Amino acid sequence: NAGAERSVLTEWCAREGLEMPEILWVDTLALARKTLPSTWVFSQGELLKRFGLDQCGDAHRALPDARGCMLLFERLIQIRHGLIPMPK
């Protein structure tokens, strides 16, 4: 959830007296909905399974969750640009 992540980082930066850096935010859920058939389940875990990707750890921990998001983003971009076929 890009909005939730942005809120957490904005709060943290403010609390630490840091300026929030310019970041290009990409919502992988929105990207998945634009890229994949509407009959698919769009949870990160289900999409990773369907693509045969492993986020290497508990999805409720920050690092594995971020890794899963990155893997999903890469795969969705590959599909959108026709670099790999749409999985069934």
Side-chain angles (χ1 to χ4, degrees):
N1 182 331
E5 301 295 338
R6 184 182 351 222
S7 294
V8 169
L9 287 174
T10 300
E11 266 185 52
W12 184 84
C13 285
R15 186 174 58 244
E16 297 298 319
L18 301 171
E19 186 175 327
M20 180 70 172
E22 287 292 320
I23 298 172
L24 172 62
W25 294 91
V26 177
D27 186 337
T28 53
L29 175 59
L31 182 60
R33 287 183 173 154
K34 289 179 183 176
T35 305
L36 304 170
S38 62
T39 55
W40 283 36
V41 175
F42 293 108
S43 74
Q44 180 172 310
E46 288 302 313
L47 290 174
L48 288 168
K49 281 184 208 170
R50 191 153 192 172
F51 293 142
L53 301 171
D54 180 13
Q55 64 190 15
C56 295
D58 181 358
H60 299 289
R61 305 292 302 167
L63 186 57
D65 181 62
R67 184 173 190 279
C69 189
M70 177 206 60
L71 293 170
L72 185 55
F73 173 77
E74 289 176 336
R75 186 58 50 96
L76 291 168
I77 292 299
Q78 290 170 335
I79 292 168
R80 281 188 72 81
H81 290 279
L83 300 173
I84 62 170
M86 174 82 65
K88 296 187 184 222

